[in-house]
């Protein structure tokens, strides 16, 4: 891997901003999609068509209000001649790759640029005071604290190595971006590689420990039911998930409605039955549908008004489902989705 | 802003108001060119969301025009349209949005002159209000 | 017997000493044991867990887990009842513990063919309100009657005395806090059920309205104040944009709303979602555009669809993970829309839903 020196002397945030400005100025892109600061310390994604529109752009906001892949699927959901450069976090770029495979994003005129990600603050711990580049590690999303894929995703990534900014072209498109910006001088990636490997090993350990613990916590239908006891059925987890793109979810289908008598029977069998009744069905069904593509961004957990650690559960389940096929969500746009393909000689261990 | 030309979206009922507009045209009545007519089969076809969509996309004014009460081609569509319009107006009012940019008028097929009058009046009113600030808003 | 005249002229109450929770449980137990009802719908404290949820209880021994009128609303009861009866009405009698705003919402559901009241026996209360739930405030397991910690929606609610559809009404919120359990018998069904209850005496008492005059006055002043100059007036485009700038588009407000019963919302359909080409066009015209767009269109649209029926329960605000006071906007819009249509949502089964009817000689002031 090579790293090309960019925006020397600037902090990472400024380097990303400069990239956004030059992409528009040099005509590399018609639009830049980037988070932007709004009224009341809010952050939204904007599609900016002119350098002027980047005045409030904030490529490293302290929070993730909308998963970038979700924003991208609205802006680039069908083929278009408009070229978009999106500056997003590694987990957002990985989700975007999954969404491309689900054919909800058209990749042809899209360039994804990521960065060394410092993580984001949990939405309900964000008081508007935190400056974009400083995130108190104690307030980070739990998903961020166990993230091991915090850099080098998308078409290109800007990383910090020994206090300089280096652009890593990761795909042919990334290479085109580098040459259109006139980046040629190579810098050393040694410091970055070492730091990244250390952090990755640490986070992998944290994640494994947390998953083992969680697996025990939810083992059995009773405990799983306890896990979701506070669920208010708001479906925010589904709506904010970049992978859950269906306009109408299986759980909302009319033919799933059961008559009152079946609820009464359920109540009679165990003395009492919970209403609404579809909490577990919804969550298990959702995980069966999307966990294999889960990139572990933690957006669902951040959106949960009841504070259920649903993101950690989905990502734990996803680790299991994707391991079956040795699949890594968001890694390679060319690799087919495991459920859209098969090989004849596989999975015999599931046959009896 | 002297060079401001209002853009007004007009939802016109096929049987009365659209025919009224047609009559105004064939009668060669002069009127402001600011109204973009959209033909609908009945004023009650206009879902409030069609109006809010036009409003949020930056229309400076939105006119809904239908048959006079009692004259609806479908008997009573315009009465329902009036109720829906009332809800929309009150919702806009409660939010402090400029509900005066919305107008409901009854114009029959024989009222070419009235059509011109409504368009003139509404255009002037919107001209006085100025451009819809929503059209510059990026966080819609 | 007309319940409306009864309400103003006073009525018959059943009374027992002690806490309302035990009083109501005792009724529920007796109804289950005698077979007058086959199940009880109530908030229930989930054993071994700090959580509360609505349950259908059919075993009388589990009635002790019921926490009738516990001041929390994890799910709006109308939503649960609609799920229960939308495909077919109940075939057996169920006693339903329900707050006034939940009952009104359910009546609206029924009018819109999203549920059925058949075989339901409603036990409601004069309502002090519920607290905020969710991660911001933590689950408060205190009993009702505490002075603070109620939803804004509750503190400005003037509709805290249930209307005609309630069969029994527990006196909970009153000018003078009742020391014992007092339950008004509103319907014939309630009166005949009461005859078989043991441990209660039947007494004559003043009407609920008479017992709650001071509360009604206080709430009405708070409501007026709130509508005129609430903290989040959301008045004008700029404030509205600013209010919803934080919106993460999770649609929890819609999903939590008992009146948003559409299986597929207008705002999820291809008809209303901006296609990428239009997004590009608008972004070019405005210089930039929020993606995904449609935040205001969604909230404005939902206001248009729901304001005529909104019962002001506050569930939407409670569900919002970023603390946008959504309900404030709905209560304010409702306070203008409902009087204009002369409609009082959920008060009775008879009034036709306002957008399915009209009068020839009305609303002339809004046409030009």
């Amino acid at each position: 891997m090579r790293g090309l020196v960019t925006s020397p002397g600037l902090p990472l945030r400024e380097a990303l901003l400069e990239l956004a400005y030059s992409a528009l100025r040099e005509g590399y892109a018609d639009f830049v999609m980037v988070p932007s600061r709004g009224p009341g310390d809010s952050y939204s994604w904007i599609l900016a068509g002119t350098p002027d529109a980047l005045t409030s752009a904030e490529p490293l906001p302290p929070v993730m209000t909308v998963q970038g892949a979700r924003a991208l699927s609205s802006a680039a959901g069908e083929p278009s001649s408009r070229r978009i450069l999106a500056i997003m976090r590694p987990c957002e770029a990985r989700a975007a790759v999954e969404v491309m495979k689900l054919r909800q994003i058209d990749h042809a005129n899209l360039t994804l640029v990521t960065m060394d990600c410092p993580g984001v603050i949990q939405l309900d711990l964000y008081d508007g005071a935190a400056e974009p580049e400083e995130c108190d590690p104690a307030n980070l999303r739990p998903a961020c604290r166990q993230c091991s894929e915090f850099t080098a995703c998308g078409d290109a990534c800007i990383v910090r190595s020994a206090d300089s900014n280096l652009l890593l072209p990761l795909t042919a498109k990334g290479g085109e971006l580098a040459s259109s910006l006139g980046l040629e001088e190579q810098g050393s990636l040694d410091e970055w590689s070492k730091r990244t490997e250390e952090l990755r090993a640490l986070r992998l350990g944290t994640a494994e420990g947390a998953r083992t613990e969680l697996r025990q916590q939810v083992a059995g239908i009773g405990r799983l039911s306890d896990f979701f006891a506070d669920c208010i059925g708001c479906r925010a987890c589904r709506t904010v998930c970049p992978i859950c793109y269906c306009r109408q979810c299986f759980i909302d289908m009319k033919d799933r409605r059961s008559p009152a008598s079946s609820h009464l029977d359920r109540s009679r069998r165990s003395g009492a039955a919970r209403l609404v009744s579809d909490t577990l069905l919804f969550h298990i069904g959702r995980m069966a549908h999307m966990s294999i593509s889960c990139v572990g961004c933690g957006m669902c957990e951040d959106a949960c008004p009841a504070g259920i650690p649903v993101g950690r559960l989905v990502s734990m389940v996803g680790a299991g489902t994707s391991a079956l096929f040795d699949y890594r969500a968001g890694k390679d746009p060319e690799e087919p989705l495991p459920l859209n393909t098969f090989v004849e000689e596989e999975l015999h261990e599931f046959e009896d | 802003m002297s060079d401001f030309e209002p853009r007004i979206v007009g939802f016109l009922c096929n049987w009365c108001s659209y025919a009224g507009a047609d009559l105004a045209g064939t009668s060669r009545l002069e009127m402001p060119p600011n109204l973009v007519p959209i033909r609908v089969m009945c004023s009650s076809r206009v879902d409030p969301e069609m109006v809010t969509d036009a409003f949020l996309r930056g229309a400076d004014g939105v006119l809904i025009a239908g048959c006079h009460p009692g004259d609806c081609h479908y008997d009573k569509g315009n009465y329902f349209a009036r109720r829906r319009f009332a809800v929309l107006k009150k919702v806009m009012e409660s939010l402090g949005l400029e509900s005066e940019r919305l107008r409901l008028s009854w114009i029959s097929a024989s009222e070419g002159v009235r059509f011109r009058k409504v368009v003139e009046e509404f255009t002037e009113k919107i001209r006085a209000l100025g451009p819809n600030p929503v059209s510059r808003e990026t966080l819609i | 017997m007309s319940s409306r005249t009864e309400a103003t002229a006073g009525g018959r109450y059943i009374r027992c000493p002690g806490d309302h929770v035990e009083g109501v449980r005792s009724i529920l137990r007796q109804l289950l044991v005698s077979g007058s009802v086959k199940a009880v719908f109530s908030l229930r404290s989930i054993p071994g867990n700090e959580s509360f949820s609505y349950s259908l209880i059919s075993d009388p021994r589990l009635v002790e887990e019921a926490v009738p009128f516990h001041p929390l609303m994890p799910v709006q009861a109308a939503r649960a009842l609609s799920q229960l009866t939308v495909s077919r009405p109940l075939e057996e009698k169920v006693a339903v513990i329900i707050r006034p705003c939940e009952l009104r919402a359910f009546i609206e559901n029924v009018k819109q063919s999203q549920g059925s009241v058949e075989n339901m026996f409603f036990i409601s209360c004069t309502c002090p309100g519920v607290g905020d739930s969710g991660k911001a405030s933590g689950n408060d397991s205190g009993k009702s009657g505490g002075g603070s910690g109620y939803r804004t929606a509750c503190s400005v609610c003037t509709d805290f005395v249930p209307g005609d559809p309630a069969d029994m009404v527990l006196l909970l919120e009153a000018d003078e806090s009742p020391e014992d359990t007092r339950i008004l018998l509103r319907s014939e069904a309630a009166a005949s059920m009461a005859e078989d209850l043991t441990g209660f005496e039947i007494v004559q008492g003043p009407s609920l309205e008479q017992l709650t005059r001071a509360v009604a006055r206080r709430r009405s002043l708070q409501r007026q104040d709130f509508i005129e100059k609430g903290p989040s007036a959301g008045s004008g485009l700029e404030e509205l944009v600013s209010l919803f700038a934080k919106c993460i588009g999770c649609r929890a407000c819609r999903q939590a709303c008992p009146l948003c019963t559409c299986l597929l919302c207008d705002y999820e359909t291809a008809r209303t979602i901006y296609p990428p080409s239009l997004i590009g066009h608008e972004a070019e015209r405005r210089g930039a555009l929020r993606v995904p767009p449609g935040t205001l269109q969604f909230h404005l649209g939902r206001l248009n669809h729901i304001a005529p029926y909104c019962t002001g329960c506050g569930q939407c605000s409670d569900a919002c993970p970023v603390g946008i006071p959504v309900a404030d906007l709905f209560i304010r819009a409702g306070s203008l829309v409902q009087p204009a249509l002369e409609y009082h949502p959920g008060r009775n089964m008879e009034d036709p839903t306002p957008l399915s009817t009209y009068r020839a000689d009305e609303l002339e002031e809004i046409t030009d």
Side-chain angles (χ1 to χ4, degrees):
Chain A
M1 207 183 312
R2 65 207 176 102
L4 302 166
V5 177
T6 180
S7 313
L10 291 178
L12 179 59
R13 170 181 178 274
E14 315 293 328
L16 290 162
L17 268 180
E18 197 172 271
L19 175 79
Y21 276 106
S22 11
L24 287 177
R25 279 209 199 95
E26 309 297 324
Y28 177 81
D30 300 309
F31 290 105
V32 167
M33 195 188 92
V34 65
S36 174
R37 196 172 195 150
D41 290 313
S42 60
Y43 293 91
S44 322
W45 286 96
I46 57 158
L47 198 61
T50 63
D52 283 350
L54 291 170
T55 326
S56 311
E58 182 43 75
L60 275 178
V63 285
M64 183 189 291
T65 53
V66 170
Q67 225 274 7
R70 194 153 189 110
L72 200 55
S73 66
S74 105
E78 56 192 42
S80 157
S81 58
R82 294 187 168 96
R83 293 159 305 155
I84 299 177
L85 177 110
I87 299 182
M88 49 186 11
R89 293 172 190 274
C91 61
E92 295 174 316
R94 277 181 283 123
V97 167
E98 289 303 297
V99 180
M100 284 167 202
K101 293 182 191 180
L102 294 163
R103 299 188 201 169
Q104 302 300 309
I105 290 180
D106 184 68
H107 190 223
N109 285 308
L110 204 57
T111 309
L112 307 180
V113 179
T114 64
M115 73 298 284
D116 269 344
C117 175
V120 295
I121 296 178
Q122 210 171 301
L123 268 178
D124 61 331
L125 298 178
Y126 171 63
D127 56 5
E131 277 308 306
E133 57 270 54
E134 49 188 59
C135 299
D136 179 354
N139 291 344
L140 287 183
R141 274 185 184 173
C144 298
R145 281 185 255 150
Q146 42 178 275
C147 171
S148 53
E149 296 181 81
F150 47 84
T151 187
C153 295
D155 295 305
C157 179
I158 299 188
V159 303
R160 299 283 291 172
S161 191
D163 285 334
S164 55
N165 299 311
L166 301 176
L167 183 130
L168 315 182
L170 300 165
T171 63
K173 253 187 220 165
E176 282 165 34
L177 172 67
S179 49
S180 96
L181 297 172
L183 306 181
E184 282 165 4
E185 188 196 334
Q186 297 214 9
S188 160
L189 284 166
D190 295 348
E191 192 266 338
W192 171 77
S193 305
K194 185 163 172 292
R195 184 164 40 87
T196 302
E197 278 322 306
E198 282 170 12
L199 187 55
R200 184 167 286 149
L202 183 76
R203 295 265 184 87
L204 280 172
T206 315
E208 201 37 58
R211 280 179 189 152
T212 311
E213 204 174 301
L214 187 57
R215 209 167 285 129
Q216 286 159 358
Q217 194 198 327
V218 298
I221 198 80
R223 291 202 198 140
L224 189 62
S225 174
D226 276 355
F227 183 87
F228 284 114
D230 284 330
C231 175
I232 62 169
C234 73
R235 313 285 191 246
C237 48
R238 173 187 76 194
T239 313
V240 300
C241 174
I243 310 298
C244 270
Y245 68 87
C246 297
R247 286 196 173 136
Q248 191 171 30
C249 180
F250 75 100
I251 200 80
D252 296 327
M253 297 295 181
K254 202 169 185 173
D255 57 14
R256 270 214 56 265
R257 290 171 162 177
S258 39
S261 55
S262 78
H263 294 281
L264 279 167
D265 289 345
R266 206 160 49 86
S267 164
R268 244 173 240 127
R269 275 201 302 274
S270 47
R274 187 178 163 165
L275 274 178
V276 290
S277 60
D278 52 9
T279 305
L280 283 189
L281 178 69
F282 165 68
H283 288 288
I284 295 173
R286 194 174 91 85
M287 288 189 281
H289 284 156
M290 54 62 66
S291 69
I292 211 160
S293 290
C294 174
V295 297
C297 66
M299 192 66 227
C300 49
E301 187 164 322
D302 229 0
C304 177
I308 298 168
V310 60
R312 279 167 274 178
L313 185 69
V314 179
S315 122
M316 187 259 292
V317 170
T321 49
S322 52
L324 275 179
F325 307 100
D326 200 15
Y327 181 74
R328 264 175 66 201
K331 188 164 171 262
D332 176 7
E334 304 307 321
E335 189 183 358
L337 286 167
L339 297 183
N340 285 0
T341 187
F342 65 88
V343 282
E344 267 178 46
E345 292 302 324
E346 66 172 355
L347 300 173
H348 293 308
E349 65 274 27
F350 289 90
E351 302 166 339
D352 282 309
Chain B
M1 207 184 288
S2 56
D3 57 354
F4 166 58
E5 276 304 329
R7 283 182 309 169
I8 298 170
V9 174
F11 293 102
L12 310 180
C13 121
N14 176 63
W15 305 99
C16 291
S17 309
Y18 195 86
D22 208 24
L23 178 61
T26 49
S27 316
R28 304 189 170 219
L29 301 180
E30 266 188 43
M31 65 182 122
N34 306 60
L35 185 110
V36 181
I38 296 176
R39 176 154 66 168
V40 289
M41 290 311 284
C42 177
S43 52
S44 65
R45 170 64 185 89
V46 183
D47 189 298
E49 110 199 339
M50 292 156 77
V51 181
T52 53
D53 192 26
F55 182 81
L56 291 170
R57 299 247 317 259
D60 299 304
V62 183
L63 169 73
I64 301 171
C67 308
H68 286 274
D71 291 348
C72 176
H73 185 78
Y74 307 99
D75 195 21
K76 48 199 177 187
N78 46 6
Y79 292 119
F80 291 110
R82 186 167 63 186
R83 284 207 159 204
R84 280 185 218 152
F85 185 74
V87 172
L88 177 60
K89 280 280 259 196
K90 294 291 172 189
V91 165
M92 300 268 288
E93 258 175 54
S94 80
L95 298 173
L97 295 177
E98 297 169 296
S99 70
E100 59 273 28
R101 292 186 185 273
L102 314 182
R103 175 171 173 149
L104 174 66
S105 295
W106 309 131
I107 305 167
S108 79
S110 63
E111 292 178 322
V113 175
R114 172 160 162 78
F115 181 81
R116 172 173 69 174
K117 183 166 159 281
V118 168
V119 173
E120 275 176 352
E121 268 178 19
F122 198 38
T123 305
E124 280 325 297
K125 181 174 179 184
I126 299 295
R127 196 186 298 284
L129 283 171
N132 184 353
V134 174
S135 61
R136 291 190 306 273
E137 185 52 60
T138 56
L139 296 180
I140 56 166
Chain C
M1 161 167 67
S2 154
S3 47
R4 201 169 269 151
T5 53
E6 183 191 55
T8 44
R12 292 202 315 151
Y13 289 77
I14 51 174
R15 198 167 78 177
C16 75
D19 177 30
H20 74 266
V21 175
E22 276 315 317
V24 176
R25 279 182 189 158
S26 158
I27 297 177
L28 297 177
R29 228 176 261 125
Q30 294 186 45
L31 293 180
L32 277 176
V33 170
S34 71
S36 313
V37 302
K38 290 289 186 282
V40 165
F41 173 89
S42 169
L43 261 187
R44 168 169 166 248
S45 149
I46 306 294
N49 191 309
E50 301 276 283
S51 315
F52 297 87
S53 71
Y54 279 108
S55 288
L56 266 183
I57 304 173
S58 47
D59 184 341
R61 286 167 300 182
L62 292 185
V63 166
E64 68 180 42
E65 291 173 5
V67 283
F69 305 115
H70 183 79
L72 268 183
M73 195 184 282
V75 170
Q76 228 271 11
R79 210 165 171 100
L81 293 177
S82 166
Q83 188 196 48
L84 182 65
T85 57
V86 65
S87 62
R88 233 174 292 157
L90 285 168
E91 283 160 11
E92 295 167 296
K93 203 101 186 151
V94 171
V96 175
I97 305 285
I98 190 165
R99 290 181 183 276
C101 60
E102 295 176 313
L103 181 53
R104 275 180 281 123
F106 186 56
I107 297 299
E108 287 302 308
N109 287 161
V110 173
K111 287 188 192 180
Q112 296 175 18
S113 309
Q114 301 301 312
S116 161
V117 290
E118 211 169 299
N119 280 316
M120 285 190 185
F121 181 78
F122 292 111
I123 305 179
S124 192
C125 68
T126 58
C127 181
V130 297
D132 283 324
S133 50
K135 55 184 168 187
S137 50
N139 282 349
D140 159 17
S141 55
K143 291 192 172 172
S144 60
S148 61
Y150 288 119
R151 291 179 179 175
T152 313
C154 299
S155 66
V156 303
C157 171
T158 48
D159 231 349
F160 61 95
V161 177
D164 295 350
D167 294 289
M168 285 186 179
V169 182
L170 168 75
L171 186 70
L172 195 56
E173 177 80 329
D175 297 348
E176 287 171 45
S177 282
E179 309 254 300
D180 48 7
T181 302
R182 256 186 283 173
I183 299 170
L184 177 72
L185 305 171
R186 259 275 177 75
S187 65
E188 302 269 11
S192 75
M193 270 191 191
E195 282 168 21
D196 301 327
L197 293 174
T198 58
F200 291 87
E201 54 170 341
I202 297 183
V203 295
Q204 189 69 24
S207 73
L208 294 172
E209 283 73 12
Q210 280 170 308
L211 292 167
T212 55
R213 273 204 185 120
V215 180
R217 247 194 321 270
R218 190 179 70 234
R219 299 266 192 105
S220 159
L221 288 174
Q222 281 165 346
R223 183 180 180 82
Q224 219 176 328
D225 197 48
F226 166 82
I227 284 165
E228 279 162 14
K229 50 178 196 310
S232 60
S235 205
L237 177 65
E238 215 170 300
E239 265 197 64
L240 201 63
V241 167
S242 165
L243 191 63
F244 286 115
K246 279 202 299 179
C247 174
I248 63 170
C250 74
R251 308 293 191 245
C253 49
R254 174 185 74 200
Q255 202 72 29
C257 175
L259 296 161
C260 268
T261 49
C262 296
L263 290 175
L264 182 62
C265 177
D266 256 1
Y267 300 99
E268 308 298 338
T269 61
R271 191 161 66 88
T272 57
I273 291 183
Y274 281 20
S277 55
L278 182 56
I279 292 178
H281 172 75
E282 288 287 329
E284 254 159 27
R285 205 166 62 75
R286 295 169 198 247
L289 186 73
R290 180 183 194 173
V291 276
T295 304
L296 290 188
Q297 171 75 332
F298 166 71
H299 290 288
L300 204 57
R302 216 170 74 78
L303 270 164
N304 267 309
H305 288 158
I306 298 304
Y309 319 103
C310 175
T311 64
C313 67
Q315 194 71 355
C316 46
S317 284
D318 202 49
C320 179
V322 292
I324 299 171
V326 191
D328 293 12
L329 301 188
F330 276 81
I331 293 169
R332 261 192 213 99
S335 75
L336 289 183
V337 170
Q338 294 166 9
L341 301 170
E342 295 171 34
Y343 189 65
H344 190 154
R347 217 38 206 178
N348 60 43
M349 289 288 291
E350 293 75 36
D351 296 344
T353 56
L355 297 184
S356 64
T357 185
Y358 68 91
R359 285 205 329 265
D361 58 342
E362 65 174 0
L363 298 169
E364 272 151 17
E365 66 282 5
I366 65 159
T367 64
D368 286 300

